[in-house]
Amino acid sequence: DSGVTQTPKHLITATGQRVTLRCSPRSGDLSVYWYQQSLDQGLQFLIHYYNGEERAKGNILERFSAQQFPDLHSELNLSSLELGDSALYFCASSVGAVYGYTFGSGTRLTVV
Amino acid sequence: AQSVTQLGSHVSVSEGALVLLRCNYSSSVPPYLFWYVQYPNQGLQLLLKYTTGATLVKGINGFEAEFKKSETSFHLTKPSAHMSDAAEYFCAVVRNSGGSNYKLTFGKGTLLTVNP
């Protein structure tokens, strides 16, 4: 157990639907990072939050949004889902990037 | 801007053979460098990291990496491969993403196959 908790582990949904992925960071970590991993695109950085504030955006689609709550957990919202959104979504947390990240076990999203 | 290049998307070795996974970085400042491992259907796990000090860094599961500034490299090695080492390996470098914000930039990964 890495200390980073992601739920659900698996999610199957239909095109056009909206889903919410949840991440609880390791105790004491203020930063949360979201990544998408697929066979064709590899590991893609989506977004970074620090203590409730958005700090950096990567290759995140406009259909996707995220937030970090006062208790530091984070949610990634994916809407108007397309088949191509099927992927593993990882959350990672950190006290600071120079110390490295701790990753959760991921949410596998399948869009049918 | 810092970036990472992993040479070879797929490396295959025999059990007991040397493992060498290559990583080169580009950085205008002394880098913070990391290697992560991802086993099938799992998240990424930190193997080792270089921040400052000794250039030869030892990690978990018998892996080590050497920071070579002159070659801008941070190659990962293990003297003798085990079947359980089969996984995908990612090299990463800390990158400034604007202002005082820093994040890890990952390479594209190297899939290690270990043959019996």
Side-chain angles (χ1 to χ4, degrees), chain A residues 37 55 90 99 101 103 108, chain B residues 36 38 41 101 103-104:
Chain A
Q37 187 179 41
R55 285 297 180 93
F90 287 107
Y99 300 100
Y101 296 170
F103 280 81
R108 181 174 292 281
Chain B
Y36 282 81
Q38 184 180 24
N41 299 312
N101 302 318
K103 68 176 182 70
L104 289 185

Side-chain angles (χ1 to χ4, degrees), chain B residues 73-84:
Chain B
S73 68
F74 190 57
H75 300 332
L76 182 70
T77 60
K78 182 174 180 178
S80 176
H82 294 165
M83 297 294 290
S84 59

Side-chain angles (χ1 to χ4, degrees), chain A residues 54-95:
Chain A
E54 180 186 304
R55 285 297 180 93
K57 269 187 174 180
N59 301 319
I60 188 167
L61 300 171
E62 287 191 7
R63 301 183 285 108
F64 295 1
S65 64
Q67 54 185 326
Q68 187 180 27
F69 295 86
D71 67 352
L72 301 178
H73 91 272
S74 178
E75 293 181 356
L76 179 66
N77 300 296
L78 315 175
S79 61
S80 302
L81 285 167
E82 302 174 0
L83 296 178
D85 298 327
S86 296
L88 265 171
Y89 291 84
F90 287 107
C91 161
S93 73
S94 176
V95 293

Side-chain angles (χ1 to χ4, degrees), chain A residues 8-102:
Chain A
K9 291 192 182 303
H10 303 277
L11 198 49
I12 301 175
T13 190
T15 54
Q17 295 298 304
R18 171 189 169 94
V19 297
T20 297
L21 313 183
R22 182 187 169 101
C23 169
S24 293
R26 196 178 55 166
S27 178
D29 289 354
L30 299 181
S31 276
V32 169
Y33 307 82
W34 285 98
Y35 285 82
Q36 179 193 59
Q37 187 179 41
S38 61
L39 283 176
D40 54 343
Q41 295 290 328
L43 193 63
Q44 297 283 319
F45 167 68
L46 295 178
I47 198 163
H48 168 209
Y49 275 85
Y50 175 82
N51 201 22
E53 293 185 6
E54 180 186 304
R55 285 297 180 93
K57 269 187 174 180
N59 301 319
I60 188 167
L61 300 171
E62 287 191 7
R63 301 183 285 108
F64 295 1
S65 64
Q67 54 185 326
Q68 187 180 27
F69 295 86
D71 67 352
L72 301 178
H73 91 272
S74 178
E75 293 181 356
L76 179 66
N77 300 296
L78 315 175
S79 61
S80 302
L81 285 167
E82 302 174 0
L83 296 178
D85 298 327
S86 296
L88 265 171
Y89 291 84
F90 287 107
C91 161
S93 73
S94 176
V95 293
V98 298
Y99 300 100
Y101 296 170
T102 300

